[in-house]
Amino acid sequence: SQQGEEDPQALSIQEGENATMNCSYKTSINNLQWYRQNSGRGLVHLILIRSNEREKHSGRLRVTLDTSKKSSSLLITASRAADTASYFCATIYGGATNKLIFGTGTLLAVQP
Amino acid sequence: GAVVSQHPSWVICKSGTSVKIECRSLDFQATTMFWYRQFPKQSLMLMATSNEGSKATYEQGVEKDKFLINHASLTLSTLTVTSAHPEDSSFYICSATSSRGVYEQYFGPGTRLTVT
């Protein structure tokens, strides 16, 4: 399977704390993306980091990418209860296509 | 912009019947649409890729005769689950890309299918 893995599988923190999720993937990539999914809902695209980038910021989100280790991390700073959701990393699979392969996901619970 | 809708949002059907799920791109032309299946507390698994006007490409292990995909226009793709069984109960999500942003997929809200 080409599916990546994320850890931790579940994370529970208090509001105001930072949350870090890690993603490991198996193939060479053009880019890596992070998505958020609220329970029983569709996915929301959070951020895309290209293979030649090492770090990217978007608001309270910080993503790092280490292509030598085939890993990425998503940091959410100053978390809020509304950040409670599942977070997935995803990589493009297949050079000529844009098929996304999702990681196993991290369920984040932010306690108010 | 880049809104994708799905209909219905949830459906309950009896075993042996067929169910059609629609995926529409509302404000852009979707050159490619993807169908995913998600079981409870699991990740999304890609089922098939469809390009407008051509046959869908199915992932390994996905029965193309059971999951019929039609992408008749640049704004509409349909997934028909034929002869549904309880094990087909799942959350089905579509996504779409436009020719301008091939790396970004816009996801529909999903359809919860329950087969009794």
Side-chain angles (χ1 to χ4, degrees):
Chain A
S1 168
Q2 298 292 332
Q3 187 177 41
E5 293 187 4
E6 291 179 60
D7 78 273
Q9 289 187 341
L11 178 62
S12 181
I13 60 174
Q14 297 293 124
E15 258 191 329
E17 294 180 340
N18 296 341
T20 299
M21 290 157 266
N22 303 296
C23 164
S24 61
Y25 57 91
K26 298 180 180 180
T27 64
S28 296
I29 59 170
N30 290 322
N31 63 74
L32 184 142
Q33 305 178 40
W34 284 90
Y35 288 83
R36 165 197 167 119
Q37 183 182 35
N38 286 70
S39 180
R41 306 292 295 274
L43 272 71
V44 174
H45 182 265
L46 295 177
I47 198 165
L48 179 153
I49 185 166
R50 300 185 187 282
S51 59
N52 61 354
E53 298 176 308
R54 291 296 168 259
E55 188 171 310
K56 200 162 183 179
H57 297 254
S58 177
R60 292 185 296 114
L61 305 180
R62 173 178 168 251
V63 169
T64 62
L65 179 64
D66 187 334
T67 53
S68 67
K69 295 181 180 178
K70 289 187 168 60
S71 67
S72 175
S73 67
L74 170 67
L75 168 67
I76 304 175
T77 60
S79 64
R80 306 166 181 168
D83 294 329
T84 295
S86 291
Y87 293 82
F88 296 93
C89 65
T91 55
I92 296 287
Y93 172 63
T97 73
N98 52 358
K99 297 193 295 186
L100 280 175
I101 301 299
F102 284 86
T104 49
T106 293
L107 176 58
L108 173 66
V110 181
Q111 309 297 331
Chain B
V3 177
V4 176
S5 70
Q6 277 184 245
H7 178 80
S9 56
W10 60 270
V11 58
I12 301 173
C13 71
K14 292 186 176 180
S15 188
T17 62
S18 295
V19 173
K20 180 184 285 188
I21 302 170
E22 293 185 349
C23 176
R24 293 181 185 272
S25 57
L26 299 185
D27 51 3
F28 67 101
Q29 292 188 328
T31 49
T32 304
M33 286 185 167
F34 302 87
W35 287 95
Y36 297 85
R37 180 166 54 182
Q38 184 180 33
F39 292 108
K41 297 186 179 180
Q42 293 188 24
S43 186
L44 280 75
M45 298 302 292
L46 179 65
M47 298 175 67
T49 304
S50 74
N51 294 294
E52 183 264 339
S54 61
K55 289 184 178 180
T57 302
Y58 291 80
E59 294 299 303
Q60 192 172 10
V62 178
E63 300 174 58
K64 61 180 180 181
D65 293 330
K66 180 169 184 64
F67 298 99
L68 302 179
I69 292 173
N70 184 282
H71 192 163
S73 77
L74 283 172
T75 59
L76 173 65
S77 176
T78 61
L79 167 68
T80 301
V81 182
T82 63
S83 187
H85 288 98
E87 56 265 32
D88 297 324
S89 298
S90 187
F91 194 53
Y92 292 88
I93 305 176
C94 71
S95 69
T97 61
S98 69
S99 58
R100 287 187 299 172
V102 293
Y103 289 142
E104 285 197 36
Q105 293 188 19
Y106 305 100
F107 285 81
T111 296
R112 173 77 58 195
L113 170 63
T114 302
V115 185
T116 61

